[in-house]
């Protein structure tokens, strides 16, 4: 089969913007179509399509991945056009009341978080300036530009250790996790960039600090929202941004919940392995999320593009029982989440670390960290 038909399922995200336009035009119940599609429709499709354990050839040449990569390249102009249209149209639309306007931008945030930030995640891992630039634009559109620094300079290096804010701790509910990462991640990202500059003998205010770019891009999006939609548009833009951030951190929460790397002493930790991320090989939700759920391989081999990410068997990587859409909904109900996942964390510990008797330092992120 040629690459294009095989890549087409990963283009399903382009079916979401028309739902937003329909909601804008019709109002009423149609406003619920975006969250219903991303959460419930793909949960249903997962149940119908099942899982896929087939692994592509990781040595597939770059030229054979063009049809896959293209969806991540075209997404920013699509999302930008939709956001601009909504900022201009929704605040002045006479047939929409305040609740409907907020609901529409909540749905827009679901799209810009579920798809936009996810695509930015794929793009920021690449070497080309175009792809990294698109990642910066997508993140600025939800006022979360520091995620690039935090993800590349902190998360991938320190995942599963106390130095990684977004490794959710065992028995930590999402509603405690979320405000914690909102406080800790900007600080850890800033510290990582300042430390990198210091190693080069440069001060934090040097022009190469990406925070200058982050600030300019985010200010530009705030100004655009104000220009297109007035103060109401600016407020609605903030609803969109917060919703997208919430969606991202829900995913961060479930990706590593309770999974920790062995402390080797003196603040050193074992190398990152597939077993340090939750894996999910549900077919339909991986189409929507461009294989983000093959997260075990992403952390093991961060340079791999999404079409060639591998999946792993139970013995190599812990498995989520359902895809991300359903698991993120479960995470919003901490007693339900803990009932599903705490048993799985304990099984994982018995399988991979039977010699560790005291898990308290791991549960509370109390193990020492290197300087």
């Amino acid at each position: 089969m040629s690459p294009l038909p095989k890549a087409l399922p990963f283009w399903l995200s382009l079916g979401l913007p028309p739902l937003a336009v329909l909601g804008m035009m019709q109002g009423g119940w149609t406003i619920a179509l975006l969250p219903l599609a991303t959460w419930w429709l793909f949960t249903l499709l997962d149940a119908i399509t099942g899982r896929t354990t087939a692994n592509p050839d990781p040595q597939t040449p770059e030229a054979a991945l063009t049809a896959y990569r293209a969806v991540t390249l075209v997404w920013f102009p699509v999302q930008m056009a939709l956001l601009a249209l909504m900022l201009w149209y929704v605040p002045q639309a006479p047939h929409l009341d305040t609740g409907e306007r907020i609901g529409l931008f909540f749905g827009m945030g679901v799209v810009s978080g579920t798809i936009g930030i996810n695509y930015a995640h794929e793009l920021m891992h690449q070497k080309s300036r175009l792809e990294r630039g698109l990642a910066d634009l997508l993140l600025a559109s939800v006022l979360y530009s520091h995620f690039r620094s935090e993800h590349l300079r902190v998360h991938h290096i320190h995942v599963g250790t106390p130095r990684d804010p977004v490794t959710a701790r065992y028995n930590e509910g999402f509603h405690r996790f979320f405000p914690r990462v909102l406080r800790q991640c900007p600080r850890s990202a800033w510290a990582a960039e300042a430390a990198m500059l210091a190693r080069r003998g440069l001060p934090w205010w040097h022009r190469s600090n990406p925070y200058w770019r982050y600030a300019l891009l985010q200010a530009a999006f705030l100004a655009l929202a104000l220009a297109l939609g007035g103060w109401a548009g600016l407020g609605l833009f903030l609803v969109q941004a917060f919703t997208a951030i919430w969606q991202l951190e829900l995913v961060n929460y479930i990706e590593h919940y309770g999974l920790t790397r062995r402390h080797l002493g003196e603040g050193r930790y074992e190398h990152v392995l597939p077993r340090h991320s939750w894996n999910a090989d549900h077919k339909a939700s991986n189409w929507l999320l461009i294989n983000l759920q093959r997260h075990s391989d992403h952390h093991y081999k961060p340079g791999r593009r999404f079409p060639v990410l591998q999946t792993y068997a139970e013995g190599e990587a812990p498995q989520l029982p359902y895809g991300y859409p359903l698991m993120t909904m479960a995470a919003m109900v901490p007693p339900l989440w803990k009932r599903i996942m705490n048993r799985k964390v304990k099984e994982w510990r018995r399988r991979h670390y039977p010699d560790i008797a005291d898990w308290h330092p791991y549960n509370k992120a109390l193990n020492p960290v290197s300087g």
Side-chain angles (χ1 to χ4, degrees):
M1 183 182 293
S2 65
L4 181 58
K6 293 175 68 175
L8 282 178
F10 293 101
W11 287 68
L12 284 172
S13 58
L14 293 180
L16 297 176
L19 297 181
V21 174
L22 177 62
M24 290 165 51
M25 298 297 109
Q26 297 296 321
W29 69 270
T30 62
I31 291 171
L33 286 174
L34 278 176
L36 285 174
T38 53
W39 296 333
W40 291 107
L41 174 60
F42 277 87
T43 295
L44 175 62
L45 290 175
D46 271 344
I48 295 171
T49 59
R51 301 171 180 246
T52 177
T53 58
N55 278 324
D57 180 1
Q59 303 303 319
T60 302
E62 190 90 351
L65 303 178
T66 301
Y68 297 89
R69 292 177 55 211
V71 70
T72 64
L73 299 177
V74 305
W75 178 258
F76 172 71
V78 171
Q79 180 175 307
M80 189 65 236
L82 176 62
L83 179 60
L85 176 63
M86 291 183 69
L87 286 168
W88 170 76
Y89 180 79
V90 172
Q92 61 172 326
H95 65 288
L96 298 172
D97 61 29
T98 300
E100 288 174 314
R101 293 186 176 107
I102 293 172
L104 280 165
F105 275 83
F106 172 84
M108 180 67 214
V110 171
V111 172
S112 55
T114 303
I115 309 302
I117 298 182
N118 183 33
Y119 285 14
H121 167 258
E122 171 72 12
L123 292 163
M124 74 173 68
H125 275 281
Q126 310 312 320
K127 296 178 180 178
S128 86
R129 293 182 64 182
L130 170 64
E131 288 171 299
R132 291 195 168 209
L134 289 172
D136 282 341
L137 289 168
L138 286 166
L139 293 175
S141 73
V142 295
L143 306 181
Y144 219 55
S145 294
H146 72 273
F147 174 64
R148 172 172 159 175
S149 294
E150 189 279 330
H151 187 78
L152 298 177
R153 308 250 184 260
V154 181
H155 179 58
H156 268 271
I157 298 169
H158 301 295
V159 63
T161 77
R163 287 189 66 174
D164 178 35
V166 299
T167 295
R169 301 160 188 173
Y170 177 77
N171 225 34
E172 179 182 32
F174 176 74
H175 304 294
R176 281 190 293 148
F177 169 87
F178 188 37
R180 179 175 67 75
V181 297
L182 291 180
R183 293 191 310 271
Q184 293 180 356
C185 285
R187 293 203 302 264
S188 64
W190 172 266
E193 292 291 358
M196 174 165 285
L197 288 167
R199 288 193 293 271
R200 295 164 52 196
L202 300 173
W204 65 262
W205 60 84
H206 192 267
R207 65 179 181 274
S208 62
N209 188 333
Y211 270 75
W212 294 116
R213 182 171 68 255
Y214 299 164
L216 287 172
L217 288 174
Q218 291 182 168
F221 273 98
L222 289 169
L224 179 67
L226 185 61
L228 289 175
W231 291 107
L234 181 61
L236 292 169
F237 175 81
L238 295 176
V239 169
Q240 175 264 161
F242 181 81
T243 304
I245 293 166
W246 165 66
Q247 288 280 275
L248 165 67
E249 297 302 352
L250 267 172
V251 169
N252 274 336
Y253 176 78
I254 69 175
E255 285 174 338
H256 303 280
Y257 174 79
L259 305 182
T260 48
R261 288 151 61 190
R262 182 193 293 274
H263 180 232
L264 303 175
E266 301 180 348
R268 296 178 299 110
Y269 291 83
E270 65 179 314
H271 289 298
V272 178
L273 296 169
R275 64 170 175 255
H276 296 123
S277 310
W278 291 100
N279 189 67
D281 51 20
H282 300 80
K283 186 179 292 186
S285 48
N286 268 320
W287 290 337
L288 179 69
L289 300 173
I290 56 170
N291 279 344
L292 180 66
Q293 299 174 141
R294 294 189 168 204
H295 208 63
S296 296
D297 197 50
H298 171 66
H299 270 273
Y300 185 46
K301 299 289 184 182
R304 281 181 180 159
R305 289 191 180 271
F306 80 86
V308 293
L309 287 172
Q310 309 289 286
T311 192
Y312 293 88
E314 178 75 39
E316 299 173 288
Q319 307 293 315
L320 289 174
Y322 308 103
Y324 282 13
L326 190 55
M327 294 306 294
T328 53
M329 288 188 282
M332 288 297 295
V333 187
L336 174 62
W337 173 263
K338 292 174 185 179
R339 183 172 182 178
I340 296 170
M341 293 302 298
N342 282 7
R343 172 179 55 83
K344 287 187 163 291
V345 173
K346 292 175 181 177
E347 291 172 355
W348 174 84
R349 290 175 172 180
R350 285 193 294 268
R351 178 190 293 269
H352 296 289
Y353 302 99
D355 57 307
I356 298 179
D358 182 12
W359 284 97
H360 181 73
Y362 292 91
N363 294 343
K364 302 298 181 182
L366 297 176
N367 282 323
V369 297
S370 58

